[in-house]
């Protein structure tokens, strides 16, 4: 299971019961939180998500609509007795803010908060089953996007065949990476007989807040699901440029450049009550688009 | 009109759709915000309050459930183009946190944020029509309560009588403070003929977070409405003491000591889903008690 659940889809000002940015990526049993606007802990409760399962939090930049809910979430985790470590990735100053807020409250967290400052593009988390890398976007202040990739084995076991050829379960992991099995009596079971090619790795690209910038497309090439902001409809392109944000058409053109399989749009300006037009406009250029709607989960595959 | 509207009535953890502490005091055309837990700006929108009317914000202490929503509210006021000054009262470190958060976001507010650090007990705001003073409570970290008083003139004009005795409107303010009117021809109109005694000043005492402390009662004596926290029911008195909080019975006893006309209880622990028991227990000792319910306004008179 690889997917993303939207907890907040609005830009700077909360409006029409839309919340500032927060997204929860589920990757098998892991939960990654990307950005954490004000009220994210309430949204987590509302959608009955177990925040104890969040192991890693990624903060794109230090505009409030992307992190004002972080300190509340962290202190609530502490009040609820969390003991296992929490990894936090974000701009270097983020930890100064949190440290100051904990200090004035005379609060010591009952778990380790492991902070990883974002300083250069590249791999920030590497695990046998997944990896996360960060890349710079173009915003008014330093801002990072995140690329989360599920690592898959190149081969997938055919259950009936491994039984038929009597391959011991202990050898399955080696079959998955393409090795042949040689029995104790020297009989060779060719890998192709007991496995099939697996589907390729999947990836989710979160492009945070950014003005339209083609060069970023290279960094998120071929993403299965690409999240790109559409703060404004196309008629406000000048405003989007001035404020380092993007329009529907720009997000769609970016998705084409990046060769994304699917596009997810969000970070809607609070000037818009209805969102239908966002979807219509974006689809005129990139058809496989969905609106990021709070409480909805989108599969990544 | 003098009253308080509850925006958040819960303690540390948001739960059961109850929010962390925030209260809005209306005094004629003035709005005072007391405490500002996470999500307060959303609560302000939900109850259709015009936050442009908030001129003064009072923060009792730096536990997150009393101020994590402040930076979001302030930056939203800025985004919405507020130009008139905002007065903020709170522990000295509060301004360091706000300043740091504005700095990392490269944000300059379009209005003056005038910070008044709370350093000693006494008057912090004095106006011809009202005053606000602060007093220390007993909590785990320094914590301030607030006493908001409406100043009334000692005398109230009798409309028909001032017309009958031909007192010019320009003299009404002097009548209200008890002076006699002397006409151009030297006729004395005795004050008692054209006025009646006004009702006395009203006051709202907000006791913030505190353990039961009798000596504080002197500071909020005779309040028309006394807000006292009841984080726990009576059976958890030991926990209340250990955590510098209060129980129902303690709040009720405090209200008796303070000779409060009415008691408003809140800051309920998230361990309680239902609040009925809070009211029942408190009323056994102090009958004129109400639960602080979100979205409800309570008159102060």
């Amino acid at each position: 299971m690889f997917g993303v659940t939207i907890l907040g889809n609005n830009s700077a000002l909360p409006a029409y019961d839309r919340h500032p940015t927060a997204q929860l990526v589920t990757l098998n049993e892991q939960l990654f939180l990307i950005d954490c606007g004000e009220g994210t802990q309430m949204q987590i409760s509302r959608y009955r998500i177990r925040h104890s399962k969040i192991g890693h939090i990624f903060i794109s930049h230090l505009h409030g609509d992307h992190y004002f809910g972080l300190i509340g979430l962290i202190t609530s985790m502490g009040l609820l007795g969390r003991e296992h470590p929490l990894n936090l990735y974000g701009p270097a100053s983020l930890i100064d803010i949190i440290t100051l807020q904990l200090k004035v409250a005379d609060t010591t967290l009952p778990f380790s908060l492991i902070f990883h400052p974002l300083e250069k593009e590249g791999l920030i988390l590497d695990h046998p089953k997944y990896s996360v890398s960060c890349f710079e976007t173009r915003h008014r202040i330093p801002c990072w996007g995140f690329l989360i990739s599920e690592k898959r084995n190149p081969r997938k076991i055919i259950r009936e065949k491994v039984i038929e050829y009597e391959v011991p379960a202990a050898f399955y992991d080696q079959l998955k990476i393409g090795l042949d099995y040689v029995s104790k009596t020297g009989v060779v079971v060719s890998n192709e007989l007991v496995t099939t090619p697996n589907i390729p790795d999947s990836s989710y690209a979160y492009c945070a807040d950014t003005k339209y910038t083609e060069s970023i497309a290279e960094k998120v090439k071929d993403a299965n699901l690409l999240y790109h902001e559409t703060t404004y409809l196309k008629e406000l392109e000048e405003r989007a440029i001035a404020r380092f944000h993007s329009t529907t058409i720009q997000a769609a053109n970016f998705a084409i450049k990046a060769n994304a399989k699917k596009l997810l749009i969000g970070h809607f300006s609070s000037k818009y009550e209805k969102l239908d037009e966002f979807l219509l406009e974006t689809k005129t250029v990139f058809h496989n688009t969905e609106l990021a709607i709070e409480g909805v989960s989108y599969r990544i595959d």
Side-chain angles (χ1 to χ4, degrees), chain A:
Chain A
M1 167 60 190
F2 188 18
V4 58
T5 304
I6 304 304
L7 301 179
N9 64 2
N10 215 50
S11 68
L13 292 162
Y16 311 115
D17 204 29
R18 300 198 304 259
H19 297 75
T21 303
Q23 303 191 355
L24 200 73
V25 172
T26 306
L27 211 168
N28 302 320
E29 288 301 295
Q30 274 286 341
L31 291 186
F32 303 126
L33 179 66
I34 305 180
D35 283 340
C36 188
E38 183 175 355
T40 297
Q41 64 169 322
M42 284 85 154
Q43 291 290 86
I44 286 175
S45 301
R46 183 175 182 172
Y47 298 118
R48 301 183 182 280
I49 293 155
R50 288 176 55 193
H51 60 54
S52 58
K53 288 199 162 186
I54 299 172
H56 302 266
I57 300 179
F58 304 90
I59 300 294
S60 64
H61 66 300
L62 298 182
H63 280 151
D65 54 328
H66 292 256
Y67 88 97
F68 282 167
L70 180 63
I71 182 70
L73 176 63
I74 288 175
T75 51
S76 290
M77 285 172 163
L79 287 168
L80 290 166
R82 181 185 179 116
E83 291 181 343
H84 55 296
L86 178 67
N87 288 279
L88 175 65
Y89 306 74
S93 308
L94 179 57
I95 199 65
D96 300 334
I97 297 167
I98 290 171
T99 305
L100 178 58
Q101 290 188 300
L102 293 176
K103 186 182 136 222
V104 299
D106 191 24
T107 294
T108 307
L109 294 173
F111 60 88
S112 323
L113 179 66
I114 305 163
F115 184 64
H116 308 265
L118 298 176
E119 281 155 350
K120 61 176 203 295
E121 297 196 333
L123 204 62
I124 52 175
L125 175 59
D126 198 19
H127 180 274
K129 301 276 187 192
Y130 55 81
S131 69
V132 182
S133 59
C134 68
F135 54 90
E136 287 182 74
T137 72
R138 280 193 69 195
H139 197 42
R140 195 166 62 76
I141 59 172
C143 184
W144 302 86
F146 302 104
L147 183 67
I148 302 180
S149 303
E150 182 180 21
K151 295 183 191 172
R152 289 217 179 81
N153 291 308
R155 311 287 302 176
K156 216 162 68 175
I157 285 167
I158 310 168
R159 195 57 50 183
E160 317 85 70
K161 292 290 178 185
V162 286
I163 292 164
E164 181 187 332
Y165 286 94
E166 296 179 341
V167 181
F171 197 79
Y172 287 180
D173 281 349
Q174 282 143 293
L175 287 184
K176 288 175 189 168
I177 58 171
L179 298 183
D180 293 339
Y181 173 65
V182 185
S183 76
K184 280 178 188 156
T185 57
V187 178
V188 175
V189 179
S190 162
N191 191 287
E192 285 75 26
L193 288 173
V194 291
T195 71
T196 49
N198 203 349
I199 52 171
D201 293 353
S202 295
S203 63
Y204 176 56
Y206 173 81
C207 290
D209 282 13
T210 191
K211 70 195 296 184
Y212 175 72
T213 310
E214 269 186 33
S215 60
I216 297 170
E218 276 307 310
K219 302 169 190 172
V220 295
K221 202 80 182 165
D222 305 327
N224 296 68
L225 184 63
L226 167 73
Y227 167 84
H228 197 287
E229 66 136 292
T230 53
T231 305
Y232 301 109
L233 293 175
K234 64 182 177 188
E235 85 230 16
L236 291 183
E237 189 175 322
E238 275 179 42
R239 186 179 302 184
I241 293 168
R243 299 189 180 177
F244 292 82
H245 284 302
S246 303
T247 67
T248 49
I249 304 300
Q250 291 177 325
N253 282 324
F254 184 90
I256 292 170
K257 291 279 169 200
N259 192 37
K261 293 197 181 52
K262 187 172 183 170
L263 172 63
L264 184 65
I265 55 173
H267 199 265
F268 309 112
S269 165
S270 57
K271 74 192 291 316
Y272 303 103
E273 180 171 359
K274 298 214 163 134
L275 304 176
D276 324 24
E277 203 63 32
F278 280 90
L279 190 60
L280 289 173
E281 282 189 8
T282 312
K283 281 190 159 194
T284 60
V285 176
F286 190 87
H287 189 263
N288 197 8
T289 300
E290 285 203 59
L291 289 174
I293 300 294
E294 294 182 10
V296 175
S297 299
Y298 303 83
R299 285 180 63 132
I300 301 161
D301 55 19

